[in-house]
Each structure stands twice: as structure tokens, then as C-alpha cells.
Amino acid sequence: MSSSGITRATLTKDLRLEWRSKDAINSMLFFALLVVVIFSFSFDPTAEESRRIAGGLVWVAFLFAAVVALNQTWARELRNQVLDAYRVSPAPANSLFLAKALGNFILVTVLEALMTPLFIVFYNLRALGPAYQLLIVAALGTWALVVNGTFFAAMSVRTRSREIMLPLLLFPISIPALLAMVEATSSILTGEYSARFWIVLLAAYDVVFTMASLFLFELVLQAE
Amino acid sequence: MKRAFPILAVLTAALLSYGLYAALIVAPTERTMGDVQRIFYYHVPSAWTAFTLFFLNLVASIVYLIRRNPKADALAFAAAEVGVVFCTVVLVTGPIWARPVWGIWWTWDLRLTLTLVLWLIYVSYLMLRRFSSSGQTPVMAAVLAIFGALDVPLVYFSIWFFRTQHPQPVIGGGGSIDPRMLHVLLINWAAFSCFAALVCWSRYHLEVLSREVEETQALESLLGAESSR
């Protein structure tokens, strides 16, 4: 089987599992909904204020919700020693990693697509800048969260107290990406300044950490 | 090597005490800030030492991944731990100095934020080492160290741009330093570097020893199980 074939097979398997159980997407959706409602309560912003803070709220909600999905990426493979089977199989580690990262990317993108209308309703949002750029920011930002998240989930799944370990590893490294997403989103919503620098920074972050993950994933998978 | 340790210890003690004397008495009082500026002689050397140690950690981690030498891993661990301590000193002395001089405890200035993010990354590094099971720890920690190092330039650019859009922080950039102050600063820097090397060395030694003890105990219990059969 070619390595792209392995990627496709693993991705289809994960998506089918998720489609039948809907465990991750349901818990993520409900979690993100709770965050939206609680934030909306506790800040009760006017339209002008919410345009300023929405970038931060949206991405913090998505970040927290994404952790829910990321945590169960590899946990599923621990049952019945599937992960050990991957290790001894000749399948390249990177195709497995890419499949997992793409799976998470699809999950988080679906979450974002479903949650965005809610954000618009609750916070009265309307972009004053070029709105199409939000799609670029969403795609790059989601990949930034997901690529490192998938990588660190593979590390945290083999620690004690694995559920809590993932955010502890992921959040510090994600600070520049998160700052870029939040600032890009706010600048597009308020239309006050250009988001170009932040989009370039996000793209650079994506390239750097995708390369690093692909380069180092085999080491992490094989770590004894 | 063993003999060098007490020599280094004596040198460190001498340098640290002279450094304290120089910082409190020899160095001239700063004109606008007054005596509170003397915290500078501890704040800046701690920062330099912390950054040196984090760099040492990165080098040792890469060496470990290439050579798989457990000693490199022990050195990486020791450097990260001592580095976090020095970085904490920087982050505590910073606000103490900033409050009377700038009127604020904290500002999202470039260097402050970069130091804070580095501190966060290395605390997560130590947490990972603490929570992962012993066999896999070295590889995962080394990988995390590389990720952290890759993150630093990105953090730098993001905060640099973040700050240029917002009001500039109240820091007097540039300007020259009194040669006497520079002298005291360098003395303290040498003292802190020696101190860090000393602590790092003993921490490294302790780590190697404790691993040896663990291995021996594991071996003994194996042999014990074998003979009781």
C-alpha cells in the first residue's frame, strides 16, 4: 500500500468511526456552545465592543473545544494495543500522523462551521473589513492548532494523567499562533487595519510546525 | 573533573559576595531611578544565565536525539530545571523594579513577553518530564525542547508586531551605560554564570546517580525474583 493509501485508509476509518458514534463532535459542539453562552452572559457586550473582543472569544472557544477532539485522537488506538500494532507495522509513521491531523482538521472545521452562526447571533457580528479573509484565517489557524495538537496528543497519551497533559503542552507553544488568529480576526472584524502580517505569520507557523512534526513524529511514535 | 568542583564552588562564593558588595556599594546610584535601579545587577545577569541554560538544554536535547547518550539527557534535564529557576528570578525581579520606575507591574513588552513565554514552555517541559513514564521521557522531552526553540522566533515576531500597533511601552530604549555600572554588571554576570554552572553540575551529577540507583534496584529485584523461584 502506498503511503497516501495508508493515510486515506486511516482517515476514512477514523471518520467512519466518528460518523457512527459522533462522540467527539457532540461533546465539542456542546462544550463550545457552553463557552459561547457563558462568555456572552459574563461580558454582555455592545455591538461595538463585541467586534473588538469577538476574535479572542471565538478562538478561545475553538481552542478549548479542539482539545476535546485532540485528546481522543490517540486514546482510541490504545484499546486493543492498536498503537503497538502501528509501531511494528512497516507503514510509514508520517502517513499515520497526516491521517490523524487531517481527521482532526475536518472535525474542528465542522465545529467552526456550525458554531460561527451562533457567534454571529449572540454577538451581533458583522465584518467591517474584507470578510473572505476570515476563511483563510480559519483554515490556517485550525491547521496550526490541529497539527501541533495531534503531535502533542501522541506524546500526552503516554503520560500519566493524559487528559490534562495535552493542553499543558499545547497552549504554551500555540501562543504565537493564537495571538495571530485573534489579531487577524479582530482586525478583519473592525476593519481598522490590515490582517496581512498575521496571515503571513500563521502561514509561517503552519509550515514550520508541519515540517517539524513530520520530521520528529517517527521518534515519538517509536519512543520506548 | 571531581577536583574542579570545590574550586568552582569557592570561586562562585567569592564572585557572588564581591558582586553583592559591588552592586550595593561600589556601583554609582542611578540619577533618575535611585537605589531601586540596583536590582538591575541581579535582574539582567539572571536573564542572561537563564537564556544560556535554555540554549544548553536545546543543544543537549539535539545531541541526545542523535547519539542517544543518557548523559546528554541528564544534562538537558539539569539545564532546564536550573534555567527555570533563573527565569523565575527574572520574572519576579522585573515587576519589583518596574513598579516604582514605570508605575506598572507588568506590560506586554517584547522582552517581558518573550521571557514569560519561554518560562511557560520550559515549565511545560518539566511537567512532561514529571508525568511521563521513565522509558519514553528523554525522547519526548528532547522533541518538546526542539518545538520550543522553533517557537521562539515566531513568538518574537508576533509580539514585535503586536506591540508596534499598540501604544509603546514606557521603556527608555537605547542610551549608554556608565562604565562603572557595566563593570559591576559583568562581575555579577560572571558570578551568576559560575553559580548556574555549579548548581547545574551538581544537579546533573545527582540525576546520573539517581538513575544508577534506579537501575541497580531494578536489576536487584529482577535477580531476587529469579533466585526465589
Side-chain angles (χ1 to χ4, degrees), chain A residues 148 151-152 155 158-161 165 168-169 172-173 176 183 193 197-198 201 205 209 212-213 216 219 224, chain B residues 68 120 124 127-128 130-132 135-136 139-140 143-144 147-148 150-151 154-155 157-158 161-162 165:
Chain A
N148 272 352
F151 190 87
F152 288 133
M155 280 160 73
R158 279 180 290 159
T159 58
R160 279 179 280 135
S161 62
M165 202 60 218
L168 296 186
L169 296 175
I173 301 276
E183 287 297 307
Y193 37 86
F197 173 86
W198 295 114
L201 187 85
Y205 184 96
F209 283 104
S213 302
L216 295 168
L219 282 175
E224 275 312 312
Chain B
R68 297 300 168 121
L120 290 173
S124 83
M127 298 279 270
L128 176 70
R130 180 129 174 64
F131 281 113
S132 65
Q136 316 159 335
V139 172
M140 301 211 288
V143 167
L144 183 61
F147 267 68
L150 290 175
D151 209 34
L154 291 162
V155 177
F157 282 117
S158 62
F161 193 75
F162 186 54
Q165 287 184 337

Side-chain angles (χ1 to χ4, degrees), chain A residues 59 136-145 174 176-182 184-185 196-208, chain B residues 154:
Chain A
W59 282 108
I136 307 174
V137 174
L140 290 174
T142 310
W143 183 253
L145 291 184
S174 300
L178 203 66
L179 186 63
M181 293 176 234
V182 170
T185 311
R196 186 167 308 143
F197 173 86
W198 295 114
I199 292 176
V200 171
L201 187 85
L202 261 182
Y205 184 96
D206 284 358
V207 170
V208 167
Chain B
L154 291 162

Side-chain angles (χ1 to χ4, degrees), chain A residues 78-128:
Chain A
L78 286 182
R79 263 175 270 145
N80 306 325
Q81 276 77 43
V82 184
L83 203 58
D84 292 329
Y86 274 123
R87 249 187 249 158
V88 293
S89 82
N94 279 345
S95 44
L96 176 63
F97 175 77
L98 276 181
K100 291 288 185 186
L102 285 173
N104 282 328
F105 182 76
I106 293 171
L107 270 184
V108 178
T109 309
V110 170
L111 166 88
E112 287 169 4
L114 294 174
M115 290 307 294
T116 308
L118 268 181
F119 267 105
I120 295 175
V121 169
F122 270 105
Y123 295 95
N124 284 317
L125 290 181
R126 195 168 60 85
L128 299 180

Side-chain angles (χ1 to χ4, degrees), chain A residues 13-14 21-22 27 32 42 49 74 79 86 125 154 191 215-216:
Chain A
K13 178 213 75 171
D14 276 344
S21 71
K22 301 195 184 62
S27 44
S42 39
E49 282 168 357
W74 302 100
R79 263 175 270 145
Y86 274 123
L125 290 181
F215 196 63
L216 295 168

